[in-house]
Amino acid sequence: NAGVTQTPKFQVLKTGQSMTLQCAQDMNHNSMYWYRQDPGMGLRLIYYSASEGTTDKGEVPNGYNVSRLNKREFSLRLESAAPSQTSVYFCASRASGRENEQYFGPGTRLTVT
Amino acid sequence: GQQLNQSPQSMFIQEGEDVSMNCTSSSIFNTWLWYKQDPGEGPVLLIALYKAGELTSNGRLTAQFGITRKDSFLNISASIPSDVGIYFCAGLYGTSYGKLTFGQGTILTVHP
């Protein structure tokens, strides 16, 4: 049982390049989330998917797009990377119902030069 | 939007000491979660709290959901070197599709 997996673990992009961060969970969770983590700012929600087939903006969605490919997979795309998007990106998932506990992947460290 | 203030920002303690950290909110929450993050890893859930006044333990960790529903506390007893890391609180109001609000984190350093 791998939990939440993310690929790649590290990535360096040049300004203007595009890329997709991949996330998958094997816990049969309904909801999935993308966060970014910057020093001293905790984790900020970029996009989330409450259930398969739905996506919504979080706190900092500008410059990103997402796709909930199926129940297991939720990808984050940067169409034209900017240095301000240098960050560590975490994917998380949550079962539906009363429990609000989110389980996180290991993260993708992205540098945009 | 909702904001969480987590304090202290950092702590330097000796092995064996007890540790306390807290989070306060400008709004009420109905869920409080505490996470620990090791360097280069994702946050790992430590304790979940769902009811005002609730006190929950996980080994040497104890967390409480404040009576006002605007704060939460995490205590670590008899700290050990592997307690080193960043501790985050997170709160949720209503269902909000699980959209958590995170504190800025407390960086804990334990000297052997």
Coordinates of all heavy atoms in Angstrom, one line a residue, chain B residues 20-104:
Chain B
S20 N 5.7 22.6 24.0 CA 4.3 23.1 23.8 C 4.3 24.0 22.6 O 5.1 24.9 22.5 CB 3.7 23.8 25.0 OG 3.5 22.8 26.1
M21 N 3.3 23.9 21.8 CA 3.1 24.8 20.7 C 1.6 25.0 20.5 O 0.8 24.1 20.9 CB 3.8 24.3 19.4 CG 3.3 23.0 18.9 SD 4.3 22.3 17.6 CE 5.8 21.7 18.5
N22 N 1.2 26.1 19.9 CA -0.3 26.3 19.7 C -0.6 27.0 18.5 O 0.3 27.6 17.8 CB -0.8 27.0 21.0 CG -0.3 28.5 21.0 OD1 -0.9 29.4 20.4 ND2 0.7 28.8 21.7
C23 N -1.9 27.0 18.1 CA -2.4 27.6 17.0 C -3.7 28.4 17.4 O -4.5 27.8 18.2 CB -2.8 26.7 15.9 SG -1.4 26.2 14.9
T24 N -3.8 29.6 16.9 CA -5.0 30.4 17.2 C -5.6 30.8 15.8 O -4.9 31.1 14.9 CB -4.8 31.6 18.1 OG1 -3.8 32.4 17.4 CG2 -4.3 31.1 19.4
S25 N -6.9 31.0 15.8 CA -7.6 31.3 14.6 C -8.5 32.5 14.8 O -9.0 32.8 15.9 CB -8.5 30.1 14.1 OG -9.3 30.5 13.1
S26 N -8.7 33.3 13.7 CA -9.7 34.4 13.8 C -11.1 33.9 13.7 O -12.1 34.6 13.9 CB -9.4 35.4 12.7 OG -9.4 34.8 11.4
S27 N -11.3 32.6 13.2 CA -12.6 32.0 13.0 C -12.7 30.7 13.8 O -11.6 30.1 14.2 CB -12.8 31.8 11.5 OG -12.6 32.9 10.8
I28 N -13.9 30.2 14.0 CA -14.0 28.9 14.6 C -13.8 27.8 13.6 O -14.1 28.0 12.4 CB -15.4 28.8 15.3 CG1 -16.5 28.9 14.3 CG2 -15.6 29.8 16.4 CD1 -17.9 28.6 14.8
F29 N -13.3 26.7 14.1 CA -13.1 25.5 13.3 C -13.8 24.4 14.0 O -14.1 24.3 15.2 CB -11.6 25.2 13.2 CG -10.8 26.1 12.3 CD1 -9.7 26.8 12.8 CD2 -11.2 26.2 11.0 CE1 -9.0 27.6 12.0 CE2 -10.4 27.0 10.2 CZ -9.3 27.7 10.7
N30 N -14.2 23.4 13.2 CA -14.8 22.2 13.8 C -13.9 20.9 13.6 O -14.3 19.8 14.0 CB -16.2 21.9 13.2 CG -16.2 21.7 11.7 OD1 -15.1 21.5 11.1 ND2 -17.3 21.6 11.2
T31 N -12.7 21.2 13.1 CA -11.7 20.1 13.0 C -10.3 20.8 13.2 O -10.1 21.8 12.5 CB -11.7 19.4 11.6 OG1 -12.9 18.7 11.5 CG2 -10.6 18.3 11.6
W32 N -9.5 20.1 14.0 CA -8.1 20.6 14.1 C -7.2 19.3 13.8 O -7.5 18.2 14.3 CB -7.7 21.1 15.5 CG -8.2 22.5 15.7 CD1 -9.3 22.8 16.4 CD2 -7.6 23.7 15.4 NE1 -9.4 24.2 16.5 CE2 -8.4 24.8 15.9 CE3 -6.4 24.0 14.7 CZ2 -8.0 26.1 15.7 CZ3 -6.0 25.3 14.6 CH2 -6.9 26.4 15.1
L33 N -6.2 19.5 13.0 CA -5.2 18.4 12.7 C -3.8 18.9 13.0 O -3.5 20.1 12.8 CB -5.3 18.0 11.2 CG -6.7 17.7 10.6 CD1 -6.6 17.4 9.1 CD2 -7.2 16.4 11.3
W34 N -3.0 18.0 13.4 CA -1.6 18.3 13.7 C -0.8 17.4 12.8 O -1.0 16.2 12.8 CB -1.2 18.2 15.1 CG -1.7 19.3 16.0 CD1 -2.9 19.4 16.6 CD2 -1.0 20.5 16.2 NE1 -3.0 20.6 17.3 CE2 -1.9 21.3 17.0 CE3 0.2 21.1 15.8 CZ2 -1.5 22.6 17.4 CZ3 0.6 22.3 16.2 CH2 -0.3 23.1 17.0
Y35 N 0.2 18.0 12.1 CA 1.1 17.2 11.2 C 2.5 17.5 11.6 O 2.9 18.5 12.1 CB 0.9 17.7 9.7 CG -0.3 17.3 9.0 CD1 -1.5 18.1 9.1 CD2 -0.4 16.1 8.3 CE1 -2.7 17.7 8.5 CE2 -1.6 15.7 7.6 CZ -2.7 16.5 7.7 OH -3.8 16.2 7.1
K36 N 3.4 16.5 11.2 CA 4.8 16.7 11.4 C 5.5 16.4 10.0 O 5.1 15.5 9.3 CB 5.4 15.7 12.4 CG 6.9 15.9 12.5 CD 7.6 14.7 13.3 CE 9.1 14.9 13.4 NZ 9.8 13.7 13.6
Q37 N 6.4 17.3 9.7 CA 7.1 17.2 8.4 C 8.6 17.0 8.6 O 9.3 17.9 9.2 CB 6.9 18.4 7.5 CG 7.5 18.3 6.1 CD 7.1 19.5 5.3 OE1 6.9 20.6 5.7 NE2 7.1 19.3 4.0
D38 N 9.2 15.9 8.2 CA 10.6 15.7 8.2 C 11.3 16.3 7.0 O 10.6 16.5 5.9 CB 11.0 14.2 8.3 CG 10.5 13.6 9.6 OD1 10.6 14.3 10.6 OD2 10.2 12.4 9.6
P39 N 12.5 16.7 7.0 CA 13.2 17.3 5.9 C 13.0 16.5 4.6 O 13.3 15.3 4.6 CB 14.6 17.4 6.3 CG 14.6 17.5 7.8 CD 13.4 16.6 8.2
G40 N 12.6 17.1 3.5 CA 12.5 16.4 2.2 C 11.3 15.5 2.1 O 11.2 14.7 1.1
E41 N 10.4 15.5 3.1 CA 9.3 14.6 3.1 C 8.0 15.4 3.1 O 7.9 16.6 3.4 CB 9.3 13.6 4.3 CG 10.6 12.8 4.4 CD 10.7 11.8 3.3 OE1 9.6 11.3 2.8 OE2 11.8 11.4 2.9
G42 N 6.9 14.7 2.9 CA 5.6 15.3 3.0 C 5.1 15.3 4.5 O 5.6 14.5 5.3
P43 N 4.1 16.1 4.8 CA 3.6 16.1 6.2 C 2.9 14.8 6.5 O 2.2 14.2 5.7 CB 2.5 17.2 6.1 CG 2.9 18.1 5.0 CD 3.5 17.2 4.0
V44 N 3.1 14.4 7.7 CA 2.5 13.1 8.2 C 1.5 13.5 9.4 O 1.9 14.2 10.3 CB 3.6 12.2 8.7 CG1 2.9 10.9 9.4 CG2 4.5 11.7 7.6
L45 N 0.3 12.9 9.3 CA -0.7 13.2 10.3 C -0.3 12.6 11.6 O 0.0 11.4 11.7 CB -2.0 12.7 9.8 CG -3.2 13.0 10.7 CD1 -3.5 14.5 10.8 CD2 -4.5 12.2 10.3
L46 N -0.4 13.5 12.7 CA -0.1 13.0 14.0 C -1.4 12.8 14.8 O -1.6 11.7 15.4 CB 0.8 14.0 14.8 CG 2.1 14.4 14.2 CD1 2.8 15.5 15.0 CD2 3.0 13.1 14.2
I47 N -2.2 13.8 14.9 CA -3.4 13.7 15.7 C -4.5 14.5 15.0 O -4.3 15.6 14.4 CB -3.2 14.4 17.1 CG1 -2.2 13.5 17.9 CG2 -4.5 14.5 17.9 CD1 -1.9 14.1 19.3
A48 N -5.8 14.0 15.1 CA -7.0 14.6 14.6 C -7.9 14.9 15.7 O -8.1 14.0 16.6 CB -7.6 13.8 13.5
L49 N -8.5 16.1 15.8 CA -9.4 16.5 16.8 C -10.7 17.0 16.2 O -10.7 17.8 15.2 CB -8.8 17.6 17.6 CG -7.5 17.3 18.3 CD1 -6.8 18.6 18.7 CD2 -7.7 16.5 19.5
Y50 N -11.9 16.5 16.7 CA -13.2 16.8 16.1 C -14.2 17.5 17.0 O -15.2 17.9 16.5 CB -13.8 15.5 15.5 CG -13.0 15.0 14.3 CD1 -12.1 13.9 14.4 CD2 -13.2 15.6 13.1 CE1 -11.4 13.5 13.3 CE2 -12.5 15.1 12.0 CZ -11.6 14.1 12.1 OH -10.9 13.6 11.0
K51 N -13.8 17.6 18.3 CA -14.8 18.1 19.2 C -14.2 19.1 20.2 O -13.1 18.9 20.7 CB -15.4 17.0 20.0 CG -16.7 17.3 20.8 CD -17.0 16.2 21.8 CE -17.7 15.0 21.2 NZ -18.3 14.1 22.2
A52 N -14.9 20.3 20.4 CA -14.4 21.3 21.3 C -14.1 20.6 22.7 O -15.0 19.9 23.2 CB -15.4 22.4 21.4
G53 N -12.9 21.0 23.2 CA -12.6 20.4 24.5 C -11.9 19.0 24.4 O -11.3 18.6 25.4
E54 N -11.9 18.4 23.3 CA -11.3 17.1 23.1 C -9.8 17.1 23.4 O -9.1 18.0 23.0 CB -11.6 16.6 21.7 CG -11.1 15.2 21.4 CD -11.4 14.8 19.9 OE1 -12.1 15.6 19.2 OE2 -11.0 13.7 19.5
L55 N -9.4 16.1 24.1 CA -7.9 15.9 24.4 C -7.6 14.5 23.9 O -8.2 13.5 24.3 CB -7.7 16.0 25.9 CG -6.3 16.0 26.5 CD1 -5.6 17.3 26.1 CD2 -6.3 15.7 28.0
T56 N -6.6 14.5 23.0 CA -6.2 13.2 22.4 C -4.7 13.0 22.5 O -4.0 13.9 22.2 CB -6.7 13.2 20.9 OG1 -8.1 13.3 20.9 CG2 -6.3 11.9 20.2
S57 N -4.3 11.8 22.8 CA -2.9 11.4 22.8 C -2.5 10.4 21.8 O -3.3 9.6 21.4 CB -2.6 10.9 24.2 OG -2.7 11.8 25.2
N58 N -1.2 10.5 21.4 CA -0.6 9.6 20.4 C 0.8 9.4 20.9 O 1.7 10.1 20.6 CB -0.7 10.2 19.0 CG 0.0 9.2 18.0 OD1 0.4 8.1 18.4 ND2 0.1 9.7 16.8
G59 N 1.0 8.4 21.8 CA 2.3 8.2 22.4 C 2.7 9.4 23.3 O 1.9 9.7 24.2
R60 N 3.8 10.0 23.0 CA 4.3 11.1 23.8 C 3.6 12.4 23.4 O 3.9 13.5 24.0 CB 5.8 11.3 23.7 CG 6.6 10.1 24.3 CD 8.1 10.2 24.2 NE 8.4 10.2 22.7 CZ 8.8 11.2 22.0 NH1 8.8 12.5 22.5 NH2 9.1 11.1 20.7
L61 N 2.8 12.4 22.4 CA 2.1 13.6 21.9 C 0.7 13.7 22.5 O 0.0 12.7 22.5 CB 2.0 13.6 20.4 CG 3.2 14.0 19.6 CD1 4.4 13.1 19.8 CD2 2.9 14.0 18.1
T62 N 0.3 14.9 22.9 CA -1.0 15.2 23.3 C -1.5 16.5 22.7 O -0.8 17.5 22.7 CB -1.1 15.3 24.9 OG1 -0.6 14.1 25.5 CG2 -2.5 15.6 25.3
A63 N -2.7 16.5 22.2 CA -3.2 17.7 21.5 C -4.6 17.9 22.1 O -5.4 17.0 22.5 CB -3.3 17.5 20.0
Q64 N -5.0 19.2 22.1 CA -6.3 19.6 22.6 C -7.0 20.5 21.6 O -6.4 21.4 21.1 CB -6.2 20.2 24.0 CG -7.6 20.6 24.6 CD -7.5 20.8 26.1 OE1 -6.5 21.2 26.6 NE2 -8.7 20.5 26.7
F65 N -8.3 20.4 21.5 CA -9.2 21.2 20.7 C -9.7 22.2 21.7 O -10.4 21.9 22.7 CB -10.3 20.4 20.2 CG -11.1 21.0 19.1 CD1 -11.6 20.2 18.0 CD2 -11.5 22.3 19.2 CE1 -12.4 20.8 17.0 CE2 -12.3 22.9 18.2 CZ -12.8 22.1 17.1
G66 N -9.4 23.5 21.6 CA -9.8 24.5 22.5 C -11.3 24.7 22.6 O -12.1 24.5 21.7
I67 N -11.8 25.1 23.8 CA -13.2 25.2 24.1 C -13.8 26.3 23.2 O -15.0 26.1 22.8 CB -13.4 25.6 25.6 CG1 -13.0 24.4 26.5 CG2 -14.8 26.0 25.9 CD1 -13.9 23.3 26.4
T68 N -13.1 27.3 22.9 CA -13.7 28.4 22.1 C -13.7 28.0 20.6 O -14.3 28.7 19.8 CB -12.8 29.7 22.1 OG1 -11.5 29.4 21.6 CG2 -12.7 30.1 23.6
R69 N -13.1 26.8 20.2 CA -13.0 26.3 18.9 C -12.1 27.2 18.0 O -12.1 27.0 16.8 CB -14.4 26.2 18.2 CG -15.3 25.1 18.9 CD -16.7 25.1 18.4 NE -16.7 24.8 17.0 CZ -17.8 24.9 16.2 NH1 -18.9 25.3 16.7 NH2 -17.8 24.5 14.9
K70 N -11.4 28.1 18.6 CA -10.5 29.0 17.9 C -9.1 28.7 18.1 O -8.2 29.4 17.6 CB -10.8 30.5 18.2 CG -12.1 31.0 17.7 CD -12.3 32.5 17.9 CE -13.6 33.0 17.4 NZ -13.7 34.5 17.5
D71 N -8.8 27.7 18.9 CA -7.4 27.4 19.2 C -7.2 25.9 19.4 O -8.1 25.1 19.7 CB -6.8 28.2 20.3 CG -7.6 28.0 21.6 OD1 -8.6 27.2 21.6 OD2 -7.3 28.8 22.6
S72 N -5.9 25.5 19.3 CA -5.5 24.1 19.6 C -4.1 24.1 20.1 O -3.3 25.0 19.7 CB -5.7 23.3 18.3 OG -5.3 21.9 18.6
F73 N -3.8 23.1 20.9 CA -2.4 23.0 21.5 C -1.9 21.6 21.2 O -2.6 20.6 21.2 CB -2.5 23.2 23.0 CG -3.2 24.5 23.4 CD1 -4.5 24.6 23.5 CD2 -2.4 25.6 23.6 CE1 -5.1 25.8 23.8 CE2 -3.0 26.8 23.9 CZ -4.3 26.9 24.0
L74 N -0.5 21.6 21.0 CA 0.2 20.3 20.9 C 1.3 20.3 21.9 O 2.1 21.2 22.0 CB 0.7 20.1 19.5 CG 1.6 18.8 19.3 CD1 0.7 17.6 19.3 CD2 2.3 18.9 17.9
N75 N 1.3 19.2 22.7 CA 2.4 19.0 23.7 C 3.2 17.7 23.3 O 2.6 16.7 22.9 CB 1.9 18.9 25.1 CG 1.2 20.2 25.5 OD1 1.7 21.3 25.2 ND2 0.1 20.1 26.2
I76 N 4.5 17.8 23.4 CA 5.4 16.7 23.3 C 6.1 16.5 24.6 O 6.8 17.4 25.1 CB 6.4 16.8 22.1 CG1 5.7 17.2 20.8 CG2 7.2 15.6 21.9 CD1 6.6 17.6 19.7
S77 N 6.0 15.3 25.2 CA 6.7 15.1 26.4 C 8.0 14.3 26.2 O 8.1 13.5 25.3 CB 5.8 14.3 27.4 OG 5.5 13.0 26.8
A78 N 9.0 14.6 27.1 CA 10.2 13.9 27.0 C 10.8 13.8 25.6 O 11.0 12.7 25.1 CB 10.1 12.5 27.7
S79 N 11.1 14.9 25.0 CA 11.5 15.0 23.6 C 12.8 14.1 23.4 O 13.6 13.9 24.2 CB 11.8 16.4 23.2 OG 12.8 17.0 24.0
I80 N 12.9 13.6 22.2 CA 14.0 12.8 21.7 C 14.5 13.4 20.4 O 13.8 14.1 19.7 CB 13.6 11.3 21.6 CG1 12.5 11.1 20.6 CG2 13.2 10.7 22.9 CD1 12.1 9.7 20.3
P81 N 15.7 13.0 20.0 CA 16.2 13.6 18.7 C 15.4 13.4 17.5 O 15.3 14.3 16.6 CB 17.6 12.9 18.6 CG 18.0 12.7 20.0 CD 16.7 12.3 20.7
S82 N 14.7 12.3 17.4 CA 13.8 12.1 16.2 C 12.6 12.9 16.2 O 11.8 12.9 15.2 CB 13.5 10.6 16.1 OG 12.7 10.2 17.2
D83 N 12.3 13.7 17.2 CA 11.2 14.7 17.2 C 11.5 15.9 16.4 O 10.6 16.7 16.1 CB 10.9 15.1 18.6 CG 10.2 14.0 19.5 OD1 9.6 13.1 18.9 OD2 10.4 14.1 20.7
V84 N 12.7 16.1 15.9 CA 13.1 17.2 15.1 C 12.3 17.2 13.8 O 12.1 16.2 13.2 CB 14.6 17.1 14.7 CG1 15.0 18.0 13.6 CG2 15.5 17.4 15.9
G85 N 11.9 18.4 13.5 CA 11.1 18.6 12.2 C 10.2 19.8 12.3 O 10.4 20.7 13.2
I86 N 9.3 20.0 11.4 CA 8.4 21.1 11.4 C 7.0 20.5 11.7 O 6.5 19.6 11.1 CB 8.4 21.8 10.0 CG1 9.8 22.2 9.6 CG2 7.4 23.0 10.1 CD1 9.8 22.8 8.2
Y87 N 6.4 21.2 12.7 CA 5.0 20.8 13.1 C 4.0 21.8 12.6 O 4.2 23.0 12.8 CB 5.0 20.7 14.6 CG 5.8 19.5 15.2 CD1 7.2 19.6 15.3 CD2 5.2 18.3 15.5 CE1 7.9 18.6 15.7 CE2 5.9 17.3 16.0 CZ 7.3 17.4 16.1 OH 8.1 16.3 16.5
F88 N 3.0 21.3 11.9 CA 2.0 22.2 11.4 C 0.6 21.9 12.1 O 0.3 20.7 12.2 CB 1.8 22.0 9.9 CG 2.9 22.5 9.1 CD1 3.9 21.6 8.6 CD2 3.0 23.8 8.7 CE1 4.9 22.0 7.8 CE2 4.0 24.3 7.9 CZ 5.0 23.4 7.5
C89 N -0.1 22.9 12.3 CA -1.5 22.8 12.7 C -2.3 23.1 11.4 O -1.9 23.8 10.5 CB -2.0 23.7 13.8 SG -1.8 25.4 13.4
A90 N -3.5 22.5 11.3 CA -4.4 22.8 10.2 C -5.8 22.7 10.8 O -6.2 21.9 11.6 CB -4.2 21.7 9.1
G91 N -6.7 23.6 10.3 CA -8.0 23.7 10.7 C -9.0 23.7 9.6 O -8.7 24.0 8.4
L92 N -10.2 23.2 9.9 CA -11.3 23.2 8.9 C -12.6 23.6 9.5 O -12.9 23.2 10.6 CB -11.4 21.7 8.4 CG -12.6 21.4 7.4 CD1 -12.2 22.0 6.1 CD2 -12.8 20.0 7.3
Y93 N -13.3 24.4 8.7 CA -14.7 24.8 9.2 C -15.7 24.2 8.3 O -15.6 24.3 7.1 CB -14.8 26.4 9.1 CG -16.3 26.8 9.5 CD1 -16.7 26.7 10.8 CD2 -17.1 27.2 8.5 CE1 -18.0 27.0 11.1 CE2 -18.4 27.5 8.8 CZ -18.9 27.4 10.1 OH -20.2 27.7 10.4
G94 N -16.7 23.6 8.9 CA -17.8 23.0 8.1 C -17.2 21.9 7.3 O -16.2 21.2 7.6
T95 N -17.8 21.6 6.2 CA -17.3 20.5 5.3 C -16.3 21.1 4.4 O -15.2 20.6 4.2 CB -18.4 19.9 4.5 OG1 -19.1 20.9 3.7 CG2 -19.4 19.2 5.4
S96 N -16.6 22.2 3.7 CA -15.7 22.9 2.8 C -14.9 22.0 1.9 O -13.8 22.3 1.6 CB -14.7 23.7 3.7 OG -15.4 24.7 4.5
Y97 N -15.5 20.8 1.7 CA -14.7 19.8 0.8 C -13.3 19.6 1.3 O -12.4 19.3 0.6 CB -14.7 20.3 -0.6 CG -16.1 20.4 -1.2 CD1 -16.6 21.6 -1.5 CD2 -16.9 19.3 -1.4 CE1 -17.9 21.8 -2.0 CE2 -18.2 19.4 -1.9 CZ -18.7 20.6 -2.2 OH -19.9 20.7 -2.7
G98 N -13.2 19.6 2.6 CA -11.9 19.3 3.2 C -10.8 20.3 3.0 O -9.6 20.0 3.1
K99 N -11.2 21.6 2.7 CA -10.1 22.6 2.4 C -9.6 23.1 3.7 O -10.2 23.8 4.4 CB -10.7 23.8 1.6 CG -11.1 23.4 0.2 CD -11.4 24.7 -0.6 CE -12.7 25.3 -0.1 NZ -13.0 26.5 -0.9
L100 N -8.4 22.6 4.0 CA -7.7 22.9 5.3 C -7.0 24.3 5.2 O -6.5 24.7 4.1 CB -6.6 21.9 5.6 CG -7.2 20.5 5.9 CD1 -6.0 19.5 6.0 CD2 -8.0 20.4 7.1
T101 N -6.9 25.0 6.3 CA -6.1 26.2 6.5 C -5.0 25.8 7.4 O -5.2 25.2 8.5 CB -6.9 27.3 7.1 OG1 -8.0 27.6 6.3 CG2 -6.0 28.5 7.3
F102 N -3.7 26.0 6.9 CA -2.5 25.6 7.6 C -1.9 26.8 8.4 O -1.9 27.9 7.9 CB -1.5 25.0 6.7 CG -1.8 23.6 6.3 CD1 -2.7 23.3 5.3 CD2 -1.2 22.6 7.0 CE1 -2.9 22.0 4.9 CE2 -1.4 21.2 6.6 CZ -2.3 21.0 5.6
G103 N -1.3 26.5 9.5 CA -0.4 27.4 10.2 C 0.9 27.5 9.5 O 1.2 26.7 8.6
Q104 N 1.7 28.4 9.9 CA 3.0 28.6 9.3 C 4.1 27.6 9.7 O 5.1 27.5 9.1 CB 3.6 30.0 9.6 CG 2.6 31.2 9.2 CD 1.8 31.6 10.5 OE1 1.3 30.8 11.3 NE2 1.6 32.9 10.6

